[in-house]
Amino acid sequence: MPLLWVIRDLIGLKGTKYGCGIAQCGACTVHLDDNPVRSCQLQVGSLSKKSKITTIEGIGTPETLSKVQQAWIEEQVPQCGYCQSGQIMSAVGLLNTNPNPTDEDINAYMYGNLCRCGTYDRIKKAIKRAASQPEAAQTTNETK
Amino acid sequence: MSKTIQRRDFLKSSAIGSLGLVLGIQQLASATTVTKLNPSILELEINPFIIIDTLGNITLVNSRPDMGQGSTQAVPSLLAEELEVDLTKVNIVQSDGRAKYGSQQSGGSSTVRSLWLPLRKAGAAAREMLIEAAANEWKVTPSQCYAKDARVYLKDSGKSLSYGELSESASKLEIPKNPKLKDKADFRYLGKYHKRLDVPSRVAGTAVFGIDVEVPNMLYAVMIHAPGIHTKLVSVDDTEAKAVTGVKRIFASKRKMPHTEVDAIAVVADNYWAALKASKLVKPTWATEGAVENSDDYFAAMHKEVVNEGVNAEEKGDFNAFYKFSEKKLEAVYETPFLAHAAIEPVNATAHVKEDGTVEVWAPIQGPDGALSQVSKYLGVDAEKVKINSTLLGGSFGRKAYMDFLMEACTISKEMNAPVKLVWPREEDTAQGPYRPAMLSSMKGVISKKSNIAGFHHHAIGESIMGQVFGWQPPYEADSWLSGELSEENHKYDFDVHKLSYSRVKTTIPVVWWRSVYASNFAWGQESFLDELAHEAGKDPYEVRMDLLKDSKRDQIVLEALKKAANLDEKLPENEAKGIAMFRSFESMSAACVHLIETEEGIKIAKVTSIIDCGMYINPDQVKAQTEGNIVMGLSAAIKGGITFTDGKCDQSNFDSYQFLRISEMPDVEIVIIENDEAPGGVGEPGLPPIAPALGNAIFNLTGKRIRKLPIEMNSLV
C-alpha cells in the first residue's frame, strides 16, 4: 500500500492530500528521513524500521507553527489550502538544504507542487521571508 | 487561537443548523424564537445568522461554502461589522442548506455583492435589539447606550452588560425593520486588511476538506465511468478485483447528469487504496452504440454556423446593411477549447442513507441548499429527513456546484446500507467532465471613413449551458448568460452599429460553468478582435478603447489605471511588447496588461498587471489574492492544453496530460484595486477574462502574428 493511504486512512492523519496518484502534483509530499518524497509513490513495504517519516502534522500545529508556516500566514498564501501541506513540506525541504534560495532555486525545487488557486507568487515570497527568519520561538497566531 | 471550522466544531455545528424557527433574511420583521439546547445554557437565535448563548458565546453563520475565495471570513465580517463583535472571539459555522439561510450557492461571484446589505442589516438589527434590551434593563432610552466588542454600554456611566447577559431578553423583542447601518468611516472590517483566521488551519493541515471526512464504520468507494457518453456496459469481469484484500462489493451503477446518464461500476472496499487498486483490476466490456461524438465534430458543427446569423440578442442599427455598404471592414473567427476545472481535491462525497429513512451527507459542494433539494428529490426522501454537512472545498471553480458525484455517493450508500465515502480518482475527474464548453466567436467589424471602429458584430457559437444543464433554452432566444456578458450595456463600448447574436450548437460532451463562465470564452474574441480593428484603423488599441468608452467614466478610470501601472507609454526594446484587454463581468471591471520578452530561449511572459474595480469590497488582500489566482488560471487557459475527445473518449486523464501553470512559469504580477464607493461587484472571477486576449494582443505586438485559437503554443511562436 502506498504510504499516502497508510497515513490518511490507517493512521488517520488527514493533512497529507491525494491529488493525482502519479507524482505529478505534490499534494501528498511528506519527508522520508528529512527529504521530501511523494507518498503516493512510496510503497510502505519498501520502508525500513529506521525510516523516519514526517508529515505536515509533524512540522507544526496551529498553536505551534514552524517558521515556514508562519511565513505562509504572513504572506496569506493559501486560498483553498488543499495543496499547501505539500507546498510547505517541499519548502521546508528546500530550506533545509538551501537556506537562502534564489528565484531559480525555488522554481527548480518547487516545480513538482501544483496549485490550482494560483498562489505561486505568494509561495515565492513566503519562502524568501522564511529564509530571512531564524527558526522562531513558536507562537500562536492571532490577527494583528 | 481562532475558532474556524475545525472538525469538532463542524460536527457540532450541524446541531445548530437544525435549531429554531425558520426565519429568512427577507423576513427580519418576524418574531424570534428561543431554543433550549440544554437546561443550563440557552442558545438564542436572534436571527438565523447570529446565535448568542446566555454565557456570551457568539456563533455566526457563513452561508456560502468556502472553496478558497475566503467566504468563511467574508460573510461573518458583514455580520460582525454591524453587530460590533470581534471576529477572533466568535465561532463560525457553515449553513446546512435550510431555506432560512436564503440562497447558499457560492457561484457567479455573488457572495459579497448579494449579502452586503442583507447581512449587514441582520447584524445591525441584532445590535439594536441588544441595545434595546440593555436600555430596558437600565430604564433609559436606547440612544443613551452604545455597543462595542460584544457589550452594551450606558454612556457616561460605568455600566455595561455583555451580549450573553442580554441575549435572552433581546430575543423576545421585535426585530427592527430598518436598522441603522454604520457609516463607511466607522468600518472596522469592511474594506480593511485582515489576516484570514482560517489560514493557520490551512497551513497546519488541520482544515477539514470533503475528502477528509470520516464517519464511523464508513466504507470507501471508487466509481469507474463508461469511457464515453455513448458507451454502454455489457459485462464486468471482476475476478481479480474482488480478490484484493478489503474489497466488499463491485456492482453496476449509473452516473446521472442533467442531460444524460452513463453506465458506471462501483467498487467498494473497507479502505480507499483497496477500492482504487481493485478499480484498476476490474475488466469491463464496453460497447459503443451509434455514432460517437468527438470534439472535432463539435468544432466542425460550430464552424458551419459561422455563415449564419443565429438568434439576435441585441442590435443597434442594421449591422448587415452597414457591413455590406462599408468599404473598410474585417472579419475573423476566434476559438476556445473545452477546459477541465482540475481542482486539486478531486470530486468526492460521503453519504449515509440510513435504514430509518433519514439521510446525512458530508461533501465539498458549492451550494448546500441545492444539495438538500437534489438529494431529497433523487432519493425520494422528505427534505426534513436530509442533513447536509457542507465542508471546505479544495478548489472547485464551478465543478462542485454540479452534484452528480453526490448522487453517486447516495446510490452506493443505499446499496451498501452503510456510510460510504466516494472519491473519484484523478483520471475520472479529468476525463468525465463536465467542462467549460468550447465556443467560437465569429467577429465582424467596420471602420468608418474617419478611422473609428463604427460597427461591431459578435456572433457567439456553441453549446448553451442553460440548455444542457437546465434543459431550458428556447431556440428563439440567445443564452441569457452569454448575452448578458457580451451586451453593449455590459461592455460599455459605444459603437455606432452593434450586433450580438447566438447560434446554439449542441454537444453531448458534458458542460458546465467554469470560472467566469462564458466571459472566459468570449473575452478572447471581443478583445482580440478589437485590437485587430484598431491596427487596421491605424490607431492605438488603448486610445481606441478610451474613445469607445467616452460615456463610461468608470471604465475609463480602469483603463487609465492600467496605462499608469503597466507603464504603457514606455518605449520598449524590439524584443519586448505589451498587450492589453479589458472585460466587465459579475458587476466588476478588470483590465490587464501582459508584458512579453523574447530571448534566445523563446517568448517569456514576464509580467502581468491587473486592474480591478469591484466597487466596495471586504478585504483588499482577498481581492488581490483572487485576482492573482485569475491571472494564473487565465494564463493556464491561454497557453496550456484543452480537453479533447477522440473516438468518443476524453484524450486527457491526469496532470501529465492535462496541465496548468507551474511555479517556474509564474510571471511577476501587479494588482491595482480601484477605490470607490460603488456597490460591491464580484471578486472571484472578473480578473480572468482579460488575461488571454491581453496575451494574444501582446503576441501580435511582438511578432506580428495574430493568434485566434486557444490554447496558444508558446514554443511554436518563434
Side-chain angles (χ1 to χ4, degrees):
Chain A
M1 187 185 283
L3 181 62
L4 169 64
W5 301 108
V6 174
I7 292 169
R8 283 184 58 82
D9 292 345
L10 302 189
I11 300 171
L13 292 173
K14 303 292 192 191
T16 306
K17 303 300 187 196
Y18 165 69
C20 70
I22 60 166
Q24 284 288 313
C25 75
C28 69
T29 305
V30 299
H31 289 184
L32 168 60
D33 298 327
D34 297 326
N35 295 310
V37 290
R38 308 292 183 232
S39 63
C40 73
Q41 296 301 299
L42 198 64
Q43 290 296 325
V44 73
S46 71
L47 299 172
S48 81
K49 281 186 179 171
K50 287 179 187 166
S51 300
K52 185 179 87 176
I53 302 293
T54 312
T55 67
I56 186 71
E57 289 87 351
I59 294 292
T61 68
E63 292 78 22
T64 57
L65 294 168
S66 67
K67 71 169 183 179
V68 173
Q69 290 166 311
Q70 288 189 18
W72 246 246
I73 291 171
E74 286 306 310
E75 296 294 342
Q76 293 284 288
V77 174
Q79 288 183 28
C80 84
Y82 190 81
C83 74
Q84 300 296 346
S85 296
Q87 302 279 1
I88 288 167
M89 296 310 287
S90 288
V92 170
L94 166 62
L95 294 172
N96 281 344
T97 52
N98 182 353
N100 286 297
T102 63
D103 279 344
E104 289 68 31
D105 296 338
I106 293 171
N107 284 342
Y109 203 93
M110 301 295 293
Y111 181 83
N113 287 85
L114 284 170
C115 174
R116 186 58 158 159
C117 296
T119 64
Y120 297 130
D121 191 56
R122 293 181 185 226
I123 287 172
K124 285 186 187 179
K125 286 177 179 154
I127 290 174
K128 288 179 181 171
R129 176 186 281 271
S132 70
Q133 310 267 320
E135 187 62 59
Q138 296 179 335
T139 56
T140 57
N141 286 277
E142 293 285 346
T143 297
K144 298 205 173 68
Chain B
M1 175 49 201
S2 64
K3 291 187 197 168
T4 50
I5 307 176
Q6 305 293 323
R7 181 189 293 156
R8 240 176 316 143
D9 292 337
F10 165 69
L11 293 175
K12 192 178 68 187
S13 75
S14 309
I16 292 166
S18 59
L19 271 184
L21 172 85
V22 176
L23 177 66
I25 52 179
Q26 311 303 331
Q27 302 161 280
L28 279 172
S30 312
T32 54
T33 188
V34 177
T35 308
K36 277 188 181 181
L37 257 197
N38 63 50
S40 58
I41 306 168
L42 283 174
E43 280 216 2
L44 304 155
E45 197 178 84
I46 289 184
N47 65 51
F49 289 85
I50 299 168
I51 299 151
I52 302 174
D53 73 20
T54 47
L55 298 178
N57 296 308
I58 297 170
T59 300
L60 303 181
V61 176
N62 168 30
S63 56
R64 303 296 173 101
D66 196 331
M67 47 190 166
Q69 84 282 32
S71 57
T72 304
Q73 183 137 329
V75 174
S77 293
L78 293 166
L79 296 162
E81 182 69 72
E82 299 288 348
L83 185 60
E84 296 291 3
V85 295
D86 184 338
L87 269 183
T88 65
K89 295 176 188 164
V90 303
N91 194 29
I92 295 165
V93 299
Q94 172 67 50
S95 68
D96 63 357
R98 301 285 166 207
K100 62 181 176 178
Y101 299 112
S103 168
Q104 293 150 65
Q105 182 86 13
S106 283
S109 291
S110 67
T111 294
V112 172
R113 63 193 168 109
S114 66
L115 297 179
W116 181 263
L117 280 178
L119 288 199
R120 286 179 60 204
K121 277 186 181 170
R127 181 192 69 221
E128 290 189 358
M129 291 159 77
L130 289 157
I131 287 176
E132 192 184 337
N136 291 343
E137 176 78 23
W138 293 323
K139 298 189 170 49
V140 298
T141 61
S143 63
Q144 289 172 271
C145 309
Y146 67 96
K148 192 186 168 190
D149 205 5
R151 294 190 79 82
V152 178
Y153 293 85
L154 180 61
K155 285 177 191 167
D156 307 322
S157 81
K159 284 184 180 174
S160 74
L161 286 164
S162 76
Y163 281 7
E165 291 168 305
L166 294 166
S167 59
E168 191 176 356
S169 49
S171 70
K172 291 169 184 161
L173 299 171
E174 198 171 312
I175 300 175
K177 282 181 188 170
N178 291 304
K180 189 177 180 320
L181 299 179
K182 283 169 76 175
D183 287 336
K184 190 182 176 188
D186 298 327
F187 284 165
R188 169 185 184 185
Y189 288 111
L190 308 185
K192 309 285 184 192
Y193 175 89
H194 282 275
K195 285 202 172 74
R196 277 166 61 191
L197 297 164
D198 52 324
V199 164
S201 70
R202 293 182 201 260
V203 302
T206 55
V208 179
F209 298 91
I211 202 170
D212 303 324
V213 167
E214 277 199 1
V215 177
N217 304 315
M218 174 177 87
L219 298 173
Y220 296 77
V222 166
M223 194 73 110
I224 309 165
H225 302 92
I229 296 287
H230 313 272
T231 317
K232 297 286 172 213
L233 182 63
V234 178
S235 61
V236 183
D237 174 359
D238 60 6
T239 320
E240 273 184 68
K242 265 186 176 160
V244 174
T245 309
V247 170
K248 293 279 186 189
R249 259 188 79 189
I250 297 169
F251 59 92
S253 187
K254 296 274 186 197
R255 174 192 181 200
K256 286 198 166 59
M257 289 178 277
H259 71 302
T260 187
E261 66 173 36
V262 295
D263 287 343
I265 304 163
V267 181
V268 188
D270 61 15
N271 70 84
Y272 189 67
W273 171 245
L276 191 61
K277 188 178 173 187
S279 73
K280 289 173 182 163
L281 296 170
V282 170
K283 293 185 184 119
T285 303
W286 305 105
T288 300
E289 286 180 0
V292 299
E293 185 190 354
N294 296 328
S295 41
D296 281 352
D297 300 328
Y298 171 63
F299 271 101
M302 287 197 291
H303 278 284
K304 272 190 188 167
E305 290 298 320
V306 167
V307 294
N308 298 324
E309 287 295 312
V311 183
N312 256 19
E314 65 179 34
E315 185 161 12
K316 184 169 83 180
D318 183 338
F319 183 85
N320 285 346
F322 188 52
Y323 192 76
K324 187 176 171 186
F325 295 109
S326 294
E327 283 174 12
K328 212 168 182 182
K329 51 197 171 188
L330 216 55
E331 59 179 89
V333 178
Y334 284 82
E335 263 186 63
T336 50
F338 290 101
L339 291 176
H341 304 73
I344 312 273
E345 180 197 28
V347 293
N348 68 86
T350 301
H352 193 185
V353 181
K354 298 174 194 173
E355 274 182 313
D356 67 2
T358 63
V359 180
E360 185 161 9
V361 303
W362 302 257
I365 40 166
Q366 282 182 224
D369 47 347
L372 180 62
S373 63
Q374 286 185 42
V375 167
S376 163
K377 192 176 165 199
Y378 180 73
L379 293 171
V381 172
D382 191 276
E384 290 303 310
K385 292 183 173 174
V386 178
K387 189 163 157 190
I388 304 291
N389 302 282
S390 177
T391 69
L392 296 177
L393 296 82
S396 181
F397 315 107
R399 171 62 181 94
K400 291 164 184 163
Y402 188 96
M403 294 185 233
D404 52 338
F405 57 95
L406 179 55
M407 306 311 135
E408 287 186 346
C410 290
T411 301
I412 301 169
S413 171
K414 194 176 177 185
E415 187 73 24
M416 299 302 296
N417 194 23
V420 172
K421 173 153 73 178
L422 168 74
V423 181
W424 282 19
R426 172 57 53 193
E427 292 80 3
E428 296 287 315
D429 190 287
T430 306
Q432 290 293 331
Y435 306 106
R436 193 240 355 227
M439 304 294 284
L440 293 192
S441 288
S442 173
M443 312 297 304
K444 283 182 181 168
V446 174
I447 295 157
S448 71
K449 290 199 169 105
K450 288 180 182 167
S451 291
N452 291 322
I453 315 298
F456 199 82
H457 176 194
H458 195 149
H459 176 199
I461 303 169
E463 179 59 299
S464 161
I465 297 173
M466 293 284 280
Q468 195 193 80
V469 177
F470 299 110
W472 191 87
Q473 184 53 53
Y476 49 84
E477 276 182 20
D479 181 297
S480 60
W481 287 358
L482 70 86
S483 61
E485 286 183 335
L486 297 174
S487 67
E488 192 164 276
E489 191 196 334
N490 192 53
H491 62 57
K492 308 288 183 196
Y493 293 137
D494 185 14
F495 302 108
D496 294 345
V497 182
H498 176 256
K499 181 170 173 173
L500 171 62
S501 62
Y502 170 61
S503 295
R504 181 176 179 189
V505 174
K506 291 186 185 180
T507 179
T508 56
I509 295 169
V511 300
V512 78
W513 39 83
W514 184 98
R515 198 173 193 171
S516 83
V517 197
Y518 285 123
S520 76
N521 299 94
F522 295 120
W524 172 240
Q526 174 184 301
E527 290 297 296
S528 299
F529 189 63
L530 200 53
D531 259 43
E532 283 203 65
L533 290 169
H535 292 297
E536 187 69 20
K539 288 194 165 179
D540 177 71
Y542 171 84
E543 297 299 339
V544 159
R545 285 179 176 81
M546 286 298 281
D547 190 42
L548 288 167
L549 293 169
K550 58 185 176 297
D551 293 330
S552 181
K553 187 69 191 155
R554 198 174 163 191
D555 293 77
Q556 284 194 326
I557 289 169
V558 170
L559 263 187
E560 283 165 354
L562 183 69
K563 183 180 187 177
K564 190 177 166 208
N567 203 2
L568 293 181
D569 288 337
E570 177 189 24
K571 177 87 178 133
L572 292 170
E574 285 217 335
N575 65 328
E576 295 186 27
K578 291 172 185 170
I580 63 165
M582 73 184 298
F583 204 83
R584 182 193 283 248
S585 56
F586 310 98
E587 296 175 20
S588 291
M589 275 152 278
S590 184
C593 171
V594 172
H595 183 177
L596 298 175
I597 300 177
E598 189 176 349
T599 66
E600 286 171 2
E601 287 156 17
I603 295 174
K604 186 186 166 200
I605 301 166
K607 185 174 179 182
V608 179
T609 307
S610 272
I611 314 297
I612 178 145
D613 174 358
C614 58
M616 287 187 287
Y617 51 80
I618 291 185
N619 184 343
D621 195 52
Q622 278 303 104
V623 177
K624 284 189 176 172
Q626 288 302 302
T627 307
E628 287 164 23
N630 276 315
I631 290 172
V632 179
M633 205 153 174
L635 285 177
S636 293
I639 66 172
K640 298 292 176 176
I643 291 286
T644 55
F645 276 70
T646 307
D647 297 331
K649 298 170 195 168
C650 180
D651 296 318
Q652 293 74 30
S653 75
N654 206 316
F655 293 141
D656 49 352
S657 50
Y658 187 77
Q659 301 193 357
F660 48 89
L661 238 62
R662 289 184 179 272
I663 195 168
S664 55
E665 298 164 292
M666 183 70 201
D668 290 341
V669 292
E670 184 178 347
I671 317 287
V672 176
I673 304 171
I674 304 291
E675 302 291 341
N676 58 40
D677 290 342
E678 299 283 349
V683 168
E685 302 170 271
L688 191 144
I691 303 300
L695 173 64
N697 290 337
I699 290 170
F700 178 83
N701 294 337
L702 183 67
T703 67
K705 191 173 172 182
R706 175 55 62 182
I707 312 284
R708 299 195 182 90
K709 181 178 175 177
L710 295 182
I712 302 164
E713 285 188 34
M714 293 297 285
N715 292 332
S716 68
L717 293 174
V718 284

